Amino acid sequence: MPEGHTLHRLADELRTTYVGRAVTSSSPQGRFAAEAARIDGHVLDGAEAWGKHLFVSFADVPEQAHVHLGLYGTFVISPGVDRPVVGQVRWRLEAGSTADLRGANTCELLTPPEVDARIARLGPDPLRADADPDRAWHRIHRSTTPIAALLMDQAVLGGVGNVYRAEVLFRNEVAPMTAGRRVTHKRWNAMWADLVDLMRDGVRTGRIDTVRPEHEPEAMGRPPRADDHGGEVYVYRREGQACLVCGMPVRRRVLAGRNLFWCPTCQHRG
DNA sequence: ATTCTATGTCGAA
DNA sequence: TCGACCTAGAATA
């Protein structure tokens, strides 16, 4: 479930579990074997997320491990060591606990300049205290690209994925195909503040929950739903189902190769 | 047994 | 805009 909150949560978990400890590093699957061996036995001294990218550093190893989970990668930490390898484990870290990386789009060692270059290509990340929303605004307010596409562009904003994109547009009543230049500065600031709240909540809970209390099914006199993607949402993957606010069927279209979900009635603003 | 799908990104056409 | 790629579980046959 990799949007930015997943990576920040993972960085926190890696620090808590391993910082200051010498780790065993291996690549059971083999595709990260030479790199894993360079790390083996070194003390993990940092883990940090920038958008959907994770960087892990080790004492006396100049390079950092750079991980991107892609669409379906996972990095799962379990108690204990010497656990049986299940499936394709690209990278395994062990020190009291075992962290198994599977299905990652990217797992590589980068030199410090390469790390800096990778981070420099990312827009501001709502989960980072040093993020500047005006950097994103600068790109948005001069663009003819739909705001729904701009939100997904990692050079505009770091860490927002398909769920947060759909949900922040709904919560701010913004029509997804509105050109960036038609979005007001005030509305952008509200969307940014909303992303900060939603994504921080996501880091805390490990889920994406965006439904306000007054729209919870119980509050609306309906039975609770069980979304299968780890959270309660207004529109994401709810095509054809009734909007939780107005009851109109939620719509779907493909935009830039990704499914976009929205309520045509509630989302009317630019 | 095979196909499909997924909260992502890149590069070729 | 499209296919390729990383993997596993669900859906379909």
Side-chain angles (χ1 to χ4, degrees):
Chain A
M1 339 166 185
E3 293 198 26
H5 69 301
T6 304
L7 280 298
H8 282 265
R9 188 178 169 82
L10 182 54
D12 291 345
E13 201 180 359
L14 286 169
R15 283 196 300 271
T16 302
T17 309
Y18 295 117
V19 161
R21 308 191 68 166
V23 294
T24 299
S25 166
S26 62
S27 178
Q29 176 221 40
R31 293 184 49 178
F32 192 55
E35 298 91 334
R38 285 178 54 71
I39 293 162
D40 190 37
H42 289 260
V43 172
L44 189 151
D45 63 9
E48 197 168 359
W50 289 83
K52 298 170 191 167
H53 298 258
L54 172 71
F55 299 91
V56 189
S57 58
F58 301 86
D60 305 313
V61 181
E63 299 89 350
Q64 293 186 35
H66 169 225
V67 171
H68 193 295
L69 295 178
L71 197 51
Y72 45 74
T74 59
F75 204 171
V76 177
I77 302 176
S78 319
V81 297
D82 296 324
R83 303 172 67 90
V85 173
V86 177
Q88 301 291 306
V89 177
R90 180 90 58 84
W91 186 25
R92 168 172 279 191
L93 283 177
E94 296 176 291
S97 300
T98 300
D100 279 348
L101 176 68
R102 293 186 178 77
N105 200 15
T106 303
C107 176
E108 62 189 357
L109 287 185
L110 295 183
T111 63
E114 288 171 332
V115 170
D116 292 345
R118 188 56 256 190
I119 292 168
R121 282 199 271 151
L122 293 172
D125 176 350
L127 286 171
R128 295 191 63 95
D130 56 2
D132 175 10
D134 283 342
R135 264 179 68 212
W137 169 245
H138 189 253
R139 290 282 300 265
I140 291 167
H141 96 283
R142 61 179 50 218
S143 175
T144 57
T145 302
I147 184 64
L150 291 168
L151 290 173
M152 294 278 283
D153 183 342
Q154 302 298 296
V156 174
L157 273 184
V160 174
N162 206 9
V163 184
Y164 284 124
R165 176 263 290 266
E167 296 299 307
V168 80
L169 287 170
F170 180 90
R171 285 168 54 102
N172 289 272
E173 304 179 342
V174 174
M177 297 308 288
T178 305
R181 70 196 326 177
R182 304 267 180 235
V183 175
T184 64
H185 198 178
K186 184 178 174 185
R187 185 146 326 273
W188 164 246
N189 285 336
M191 291 173 72
W192 172 269
D194 207 28
L195 283 170
V196 170
D197 286 348
L198 289 173
M199 294 175 76
R200 279 187 186 161
D201 198 52
V203 173
R204 194 170 52 76
T205 64
R207 304 161 34 115
I208 300 180
D209 292 294
T210 62
V211 179
R212 298 183 175 98
E214 64 267 34
H215 300 136
E216 290 288 351
E218 295 87 337
M220 304 285 282
R222 287 192 290 264
R225 288 167 297 121
D227 287 345
D228 60 2
H229 46 80
E232 292 289 330
V233 294
Y234 282 107
V235 291
Y236 175 71
R237 284 230 260 177
R238 296 195 63 243
E239 180 186 14
Q241 297 177 50
C243 172
L244 299 183
V245 174
C246 76
M248 283 286 286
V250 170
R251 302 258 294 263
R252 175 182 72 90
R253 65 167 283 182
V254 175
L255 177 66
R258 308 300 303 281
N259 283 320
L260 167 68
F261 301 88
W262 82 103
C263 171
T265 310
C266 292
Q267 297 178 240
H268 52 83
R269 300 177 188 275

